[in-house]
Amino acid sequence: MSRREDTGPEPIQELDESSGWWYLRNGGAWRFQHTAIGSLPNGHDTGSAIKSLRAVHQITSQYLSNKKDVQADQRNASPDADQDREAFSILTEVKQLLASSGLQDGAVTPPESVTSQPGTPPSNKKRNISPLTLQPSAVPSSPCRPVDKPSNGSGARTPQEVIMGLFAQMSATSAINLFKHWGVFDAIPVPQEVSGAGTVGISFADLARKVDVDEALLIRISKMLTSTSILDRTQNGLHHTPTSLCLMSSHPMSAMFSLLHTNIVSTSTSLPAYFDTYGRREPVGVDHVPITYHEGKPELKYFDLVNQNPKRMEQFMKAMSITHSSRVPTTGMYDMNSVLSAAKTGRYETVWVDIGGGSGHSVKLFLEEYGGPNGLKASRCVVHELEDVMKGAKKAAEEDELLKDVRFLPLDFHDESPVEGALVYYLRHIMRDFSDPVCVNILRNVARSLISDEARILISEQITPDGPPPSGASQPSLSHQMYAAFKDFSMLPLGGKERSLSQWRSVAAAAGLEIVRVHMDPKGTPHGVVELKLASSRE
């Protein structure tokens, strides 16, 4: 492997990887964990953003340059392969972000497609890769998953090995949560904190002093994370990997880890008692859901529970920033041509109503892509949100050139919208938080605002598989199935659910609506937009 080194304050030179190392066994899976890299410059001045990007560039470059005999590792199906792919993907993203700042041309040599045959030399052809060319369809590659083959070489893993792999995942998750609580990931230095080249690490003794933890205990727990490649170990200490960088407190993925650890891992301990108490059926209301039961406040709604703790709400909002990226697409699924054509006629005072639209982040994305003199106009857009959220969002929007003319109106989406006769009522990642009866009520309230035949309700959500497809039909990939199942299970403690097309059809029909069309993400992810209109049989 050959490369030219980062030259410090000068532009990073072209990366040249020409060995067969870039052959992939399972392309795409690495793309999930570095999503938030694409948002690093936001909220920072240019200097600090570039400094952060250089730090990530240096540590991933160093990680890759330290690898030995990678081709041999791949032939042996090394469990480090996922880590290598992830390191390369982060390096690619960083180079592209630096390129967008004019620091280099941004051309890199991507890994070869998974269709390559082992031992086939990769192409030397270079192409530009967008910093946000991510694949949300891919399940995050787990560095703590068991190896694909047992050590006896008999082929598929044995049932015992599969379950042992689950034990390892549970242990690694617990160790991560503990290290996050102690601030261990933040205490390990990254390259920007020191001068000179080489791997940046910290001794166990120094780390123990920094986080006020007994050194023997620190070493003991770290073994769970070094053995699963989440952290790397030197002889006497630890240093970061691309994965552990995502667990630093400044990273949105760290906030998402904490959110899901609470919602899934912690709450799961109370699920048997919850279903024994309320019956072995899906939660149906907005309160008395598993997580509020687990925390001893069953009478509260989930978001009321989160809102009681400002720090918890802050972490929740930080975690949700991940859902506004190309990993979970917003635009690009629904064909906006009909909306823009109808808007040009002037028949609609209000064209776009974003229900539960938060700070206006989704509306802003649509204005960026479909605005302009003949496109979607901010003055014809409305954002509905709870009053306490809406006040802050409205104030922030006044300083935003794109959002300053958007109308922010208070609304609990369990009530009817005060805006009647709009062309589009848009709900993004709202319905998944609630049970079927609650969703039916929400849709009925919105349906009362529909007046014209061309008015639409758009629901932007994940569309889960209905079940095994008919014989001969193409099967969803295992990554798709696992991604859908994980997301659905993560909504259960909140009383919500992810829905299949047949489930959306049932909910819509109960609300007096029918599905016109489902617009799936053209990138192949499970996300889509369900387009609804008033049912033709509706009285």
Side-chain angles (χ1 to χ4, degrees), residues 133-447:
T133 307
L134 309 179
Q135 296 181 9
S137 62
V139 173
S141 61
S142 172
C144 56
R145 73 184 185 194
V147 296
D148 294 328
K149 294 182 178 181
S151 56
N152 60 17
S154 62
R157 289 176 290 152
T158 67
Q160 291 84 355
E161 287 174 319
V162 171
I163 294 174
M164 288 294 290
L166 296 177
F167 296 163
Q169 292 184 42
M170 287 188 282
S171 301
T173 299
S174 298
I176 290 172
N177 191 55
L178 191 56
F179 268 26
K180 276 173 49 63
H181 179 69
W182 287 343
V184 172
F185 297 110
D186 289 344
I188 300 173
V190 294
Q192 67 184 40
E193 297 173 350
V194 298
S195 59
T199 300
V200 177
I202 187 171
S203 69
F204 284 117
D206 289 344
L207 183 58
R209 283 192 291 270
K210 285 182 73 171
V211 297
D212 192 25
V213 175
D214 178 75
E215 184 178 349
L217 177 60
L218 187 72
I219 294 172
R220 180 178 179 182
I221 296 170
S222 72
K223 290 177 181 178
M224 193 64 243
L225 301 185
T226 56
S227 67
T228 53
S229 300
I230 293 167
L231 284 169
D232 267 357
R233 177 169 179 172
T234 59
Q235 185 156 354
N236 298 309
L238 297 171
H239 60 84
H240 274 298
T241 67
T243 300
S244 64
L245 287 172
C246 297
L247 294 168
M248 296 177 67
S249 61
S250 58
H251 201 295
M253 188 61 76
S254 178
M256 181 63 81
F257 179 93
S258 296
L259 174 70
L260 293 182
H261 191 276
T262 298
N263 290 4
I264 300 175
V265 180
S266 297
T267 304
S268 68
T269 62
S270 296
L271 286 180
Y274 172 84
F275 288 112
D276 285 349
T277 301
Y278 291 95
R280 298 181 183 185
R281 54 182 177 269
E282 292 183 329
V284 294
V286 294
D287 49 27
H288 292 271
V289 294
I291 192 167
T292 58
Y293 172 85
H294 170 73
E295 298 194 23
K297 299 177 181 179
E299 72 284 355
L300 292 182
K301 302 174 185 176
Y302 170 68
F303 290 104
D304 290 340
L305 179 70
V306 173
N307 225 356
Q308 286 186 341
N309 185 330
K311 184 176 180 181
R312 186 173 182 177
M313 176 55 78
E314 179 185 351
Q315 287 292 94
F316 175 86
M317 296 305 293
K318 186 175 181 179
M320 289 300 102
S321 69
I322 293 177
T323 69
H324 300 288
S325 68
S326 59
R327 186 184 64 80
V328 186
T330 301
T331 61
M333 295 180 288
Y334 183 69
D335 184 355
M336 290 286 288
N337 288 326
S338 60
V339 173
L340 299 179
S341 296
K344 288 179 184 177
T345 66
R347 294 195 303 269
Y348 295 93
E349 178 183 352
T350 302
V351 172
W352 195 270
V353 179
D354 189 346
I355 298 176
S359 62
H361 39 264
S362 293
V363 164
K364 185 172 181 177
L365 290 173
F366 279 96
L367 289 171
E368 286 174 343
E369 190 157 342
Y370 304 106
N374 299 315
L376 190 63
K377 290 180 170 56
S379 59
R380 294 190 175 186
C381 295
V382 170
V383 171
H384 281 319
E385 191 48 90
L386 294 172
E387 189 160 4
D388 55 343
V389 177
M390 184 271 302
K391 289 179 180 177
K394 185 176 181 180
K395 185 176 180 180
E398 291 171 354
E399 306 297 323
D400 190 305
E401 191 63 30
L402 277 174
L403 294 177
K404 65 181 182 180
D405 293 329
V406 173
R407 287 174 286 160
F408 284 79
L409 302 176
L411 176 74
D412 183 332
F413 46 65
H414 298 291
D415 301 326
E416 289 185 44
S417 170
V419 180
E420 265 194 354
L423 177 61
V424 172
Y425 293 84
Y426 179 76
L427 299 100
R428 183 180 189 272
H429 289 182
I430 299 297
M431 312 294 275
R432 65 177 184 169
D433 292 335
F434 301 103
S435 64
D436 288 345
V438 176
C439 285
V440 169
N441 183 61
I442 292 172
L443 288 177
R444 280 177 179 160
N445 286 329
V446 180

